[in-house]
Amino acid sequence: MTTTPTLTGLSLAQLEIFLAEMQEPRYRAKQLFAWLYKHGVSSFDEMTDLPEALRERLKSSATIGSIEAISKQSSTKDGTVKFLFTLADGNKIESVLIPPRKGSIDEEKRLTVCISTQVGCPLDCAFCATGTMGFTRNLTPGEIIGQVQEIQNIAHRPVTNIVFMGMGEPLLNYGPLMQAITIFSSEAGMGISPRRITVSTAGYADQMRRMADDGAKVKLAISLHSLHNETRTKLMPITKKHSVEEVIAAATYYFEKTKKSIMLEYILFDNLNDSHVDVKRLVKVSRHFQCRVNLIPYHSIAFTNPSGFAAGLRGSPPEKISWFSKELRDAGIPTFIRDSAGEDITAACGQLAAKKEN
Ligand code: SAH
């Protein structure tokens, strides 16, 4: 069985090979690359500097994209929009358009999207809705890029910032993730500066080191949530594979190689990770590498009917969140409390869980 190749997601080198097989000159690959990524066209007819005969051949031998937005849900409270996409094989994924903070300097220009790297997720973190879907498969580079392109088309504005905080663990899909980042940040492609791209990981220490060795220029965020191995194992079973110490050592390595400040994400759970001892642990870690802490209010995943340990999780009360952030700031750590944008449409962090077909 032959399948029609999808062009979105292919690198310049791969487009050159594809066109060479069609006996086309090499420079056509650059033109095609620009049409796919710089202009983001959705039909071959729009590729006006390609000869008509070539456009016709492309129409019969390839498709442009492999992902389609099938529904859109907007928050009435804060402008967050959640998109549901269907992939060529019928699987579904979600992405979120996050509005800029009201009154921020770049409110007019900024457009942030939170995108997925896997269908489902194998990690099973106790607090995350995506984990309850189980894992189906990794996304291709084209499916990762397609989320951003589709949202741009619908919003009629270019995306300026990308966060890999949707479904899945980005570092378990390393090759396609890096290929998508290269295309996002390529000047001849989508032209989004790597400084405006954040990869969030649950702490795959070996892959974090690999990223640093590969000269990554993107920002790294780590979902830390606890620096106590026993507590963190309950929250995030991946801690059995990579201990807190290993994650911190890998973060230190990433910082030393890239000189980029690392974002530590920390959901505050009532009476679990919000004590004075927890503050002290964070302060100690911040001496190893430059970092800032992003405190995240816990977004309920009651809609997944959690049981056992997960069912007992409660977010820290707002006063505790303020106290915790003040302690960190007083210790000299830049600390932010993340907005819970999109909670009313279950589009906030960790609430993405597309329903499977039937
Ligand atoms: N696998 C990656 C990216 C997806 S999760 C990672 O673990 O970082 C993106 C962010 O949402 C992470 O910081 C994650 O810990 C957070 N998150 C997950 N579930 C949440 C919930 N119920 N409430 C608040 N934040 C949550």
Side-chain angles (χ1 to χ4, degrees):
M1 195 180 83
T2 53
T3 46
T4 320
T6 300
L7 301 186
T8 299
L10 298 187
S11 64
L12 183 61
Q14 289 170 326
L15 288 176
E16 279 171 0
I17 295 170
F18 170 75
L19 285 165
E21 280 166 6
M22 295 176 77
Q23 268 83 46
E24 287 291 332
R26 199 186 163 106
Y27 69 88
R28 294 262 179 245
K30 276 207 174 112
Q31 292 174 303
L32 196 49
F33 190 86
W35 285 117
L36 291 172
Y37 305 119
K38 199 182 197 95
H39 309 297
V41 298
S42 44
S43 74
F44 290 108
D45 286 328
E46 289 165 84
M47 302 183 176
T48 46
D49 62 359
L50 299 184
E52 209 182 319
L54 173 57
R55 283 187 255 152
E56 290 304 320
R57 287 175 69 209
L58 285 170
K59 272 187 219 170
S60 56
S61 61
T63 53
I64 293 184
S66 58
I67 140 167
E68 194 192 336
I70 48 170
S71 75
K72 188 177 117 169
Q73 221 182 328
S74 305
S75 161
T76 48
K77 289 192 186 150
D78 56 40
T80 303
V81 189
K82 183 165 81 170
F83 295 87
L84 178 67
F85 292 100
T86 181
L87 310 177
D89 61 2
N91 276 305
K92 306 250 185 330
I93 53 166
E94 289 181 326
S95 322
V96 181
L97 189 158
I98 307 165
R101 268 166 211 256
K102 283 261 171 303
S104 58
I105 345 168
D106 50 0
E107 191 180 337
E108 293 300 308
K109 285 177 277 159
R110 198 179 170 115
L111 196 62
T112 304
V113 294
C114 170
I115 59 174
S116 299
T117 50
Q118 299 184 314
V119 179
C121 184
L123 296 190
D124 205 21
C125 298
F127 47 81
C128 181
T130 310
T132 63
M133 291 172 64
F135 172 70
T136 303
R137 69 169 174 85
N138 279 328
L139 297 187
T140 63
E143 290 164 339
I144 297 174
I145 295 168
Q147 297 168 63
V148 175
Q149 291 189 321
E150 288 276 303
I151 293 179
Q152 286 190 150
N153 290 342
I154 296 169
H156 299 292
R157 274 167 62 195
V159 163
T160 57
N161 296 60
I162 296 172
V163 294
F164 284 94
M165 297 183 187
M167 294 174 162
E169 166 53 38
L171 296 191
L172 282 180
N173 189 13
Y174 191 83
L177 170 76
M178 290 304 152
Q179 175 136 332
I181 289 175
T182 305
I183 293 169
F184 283 141
S185 52
S186 145
E187 272 306 316
M190 295 174 73
I192 301 170
S193 161
R195 285 177 291 119
R196 291 171 174 271
I197 300 177
T198 303
V199 173
S200 180
T201 177
Y204 269 87
D206 44 359
Q207 301 295 71
M208 287 158 64
R209 287 173 186 269
R210 180 173 172 197
M211 252 176 104
D213 290 337
D214 288 348
K217 301 213 165 26
V218 293
K219 287 195 203 158
L220 184 65
I222 303 170
S223 295
L224 199 53
H225 310 322
S226 172
L227 284 160
H228 183 249
N229 275 311
E230 211 178 297
T231 308
R232 194 172 192 267
T233 303
K234 284 192 215 152
L235 289 169
M236 305 176 74
I238 193 233
T239 313
K240 279 184 258 167
K241 188 171 158 68
H242 294 291
S243 67
V244 163
E245 292 72 25
E246 276 175 62
V247 175
I248 297 307
T252 310
Y253 184 83
Y254 191 88
F255 176 71
E256 278 165 5
K257 281 242 163 173
T258 64
K259 298 289 175 244
K260 281 187 193 314
S261 159
I262 293 174
M263 183 203 284
L264 301 178
E265 302 169 273
Y266 201 99
I267 306 174
L268 281 166
F269 295 105
D270 198 21
N271 286 325
L272 187 75
N273 64 353
D274 60 355
S275 72
H276 196 68
V277 178
D278 294 300
V279 171
K280 278 202 183 142
R281 289 188 181 121
L282 271 168
V283 174
K284 200 166 151 207
V285 156
S286 73
R287 300 204 184 104
H288 292 270
F289 51 87
Q290 197 183 321
C291 63
R292 65 216 133 80
V293 173
N294 216 310
L295 296 176
I296 315 176
Y298 175 51
H299 305 127
S300 169
I301 58 160
F303 60 90
T304 66
N305 299 318
S307 59
F309 174 74
L313 291 172
R314 298 281 174 273
S316 306
E319 326 69 85
K320 199 66 174 287
I321 300 182
S322 311
W323 170 79
F324 202 91
S325 70
K326 186 174 179 312
E327 290 286 305
L328 294 177
R329 284 192 197 119
D330 287 350
I333 310 175
T335 304
F336 302 90
I337 301 173
R338 191 179 285 178
D339 283 347
S340 294
E343 209 177 355
D344 60 327
I345 51 165
T346 65
C349 289
Q351 293 188 314
L352 301 186
K355 303 220 171 28
K356 284 199 173 166
E357 288 282 83
N358 301 318

